[in-house]
Amino acid sequence: MNDKKFVPAGRIVNTHGVQGEVKIEVWLDSPKFMKKFKRLFVGEKEFEILSGKEHKGFFIAKLKGIDDINAAMPLKGRDVQVLREEAKLPEGSFFIQDIMGAKVVTMDGEEIGVLKDVMETPASLIYIVQGDTEHLIPAVPEFIKETDAENGIIKVQLIEGM
């Protein structure tokens, strides 16, 4: 189910209250972004989102057909996805999954390696690039000069020692 049709959106980490709401750790930009969706998918099952709110960095969702804590409990620990076509991204934005495995090159065209992973830190995302050696590159404009998600190429400006 993890294909280009769907975008991993988070994980149900717990129930919330006794009315069947679920607490979702959001992997998208923010719980606020998650509020834009009318439905989500847990495995192959589609759920309509009846209501949703941000709460302490999580997204609390009331799902259609989940009416009490007993119905919500089996969803705990399950990953949720949203349909890519329903995710309206600003121009020039992309999903992290779309750049995983992208070729990372300098502005001069020298190949550094491929994007292996992305680490989240309080200051910024850090791109983990694997080539002859591993490079940790902050995902900020000073270092990431161009990202072409469609063609799988990231152009970077490195400093000595990076």
Side-chain angles (χ1 to χ4, degrees), residues 1 6 39-48 63-66 75 78-81:
M1 185 115 178
F6 294 94
R39 59 188 170 159
L40 56 79
F41 296 80
V42 178
E44 298 289 331
K45 189 162 173 65
E46 176 181 337
F47 289 95
E48 179 182 346
L63 306 176
K64 187 173 185 175
I66 306 297
L75 299 176
R78 303 281 309 274
D79 291 352
V80 299
Q81 300 180 96

Side-chain angles (χ1 to χ4, degrees), residues 1-150:
M1 185 115 178
N2 190 10
D3 56 25
K4 292 288 187 177
K5 181 177 177 184
F6 294 94
V7 176
R11 176 171 291 132
I12 298 172
V13 295
N14 213 341
T15 59
H16 185 81
V18 296
Q19 301 298 316
E21 290 179 310
V22 293
K23 181 178 180 180
I24 301 173
E25 173 189 20
V26 178
W27 298 338
L28 302 173
D29 281 354
S30 68
K32 183 178 180 180
F33 185 77
M34 190 74 175
K35 288 173 72 171
K36 297 178 180 184
F37 295 93
K38 302 290 183 225
R39 59 188 170 159
L40 56 79
F41 296 80
V42 178
E44 298 289 331
K45 189 162 173 65
E46 176 181 337
F47 289 95
E48 179 182 346
I49 301 173
L50 298 176
S51 65
K53 62 186 176 195
E54 296 177 64
H55 180 70
K56 298 183 180 180
F58 292 90
F59 182 66
I60 307 298
K62 176 66 177 154
L63 306 176
K64 187 173 185 175
I66 306 297
D67 298 320
D68 59 37
I69 192 168
N70 293 325
M73 281 301 291
L75 299 176
K76 186 176 172 182
R78 303 281 309 274
D79 291 352
V80 299
Q81 300 180 96
V82 294
L83 285 173
R84 176 180 292 274
E85 66 189 29
E86 293 178 359
K88 306 297 183 227
L89 295 177
E91 184 69 30
S93 296
F94 51 86
F95 290 108
I96 296 293
Q97 78 177 40
D98 293 341
I99 60 169
M100 294 305 294
K103 182 169 37 168
V104 180
V105 299
T106 65
M107 295 302 289
D108 299 330
E110 177 189 345
E111 190 168 336
I112 304 297
V114 296
L115 182 62
K116 181 176 86 173
D117 202 359
V118 177
M119 180 173 44
E120 191 171 341
T121 69
S124 70
L125 296 176
I126 304 288
Y127 288 178
I128 302 172
V129 179
Q130 187 63 54
D132 292 336
T133 60
E134 185 175 83
H135 297 271
L136 302 177
I137 304 173
V140 295
E142 292 81 9
F143 300 112
I144 308 299
K145 296 301 185 182
E146 186 180 318
T147 301
D148 182 350
E150 192 170 309

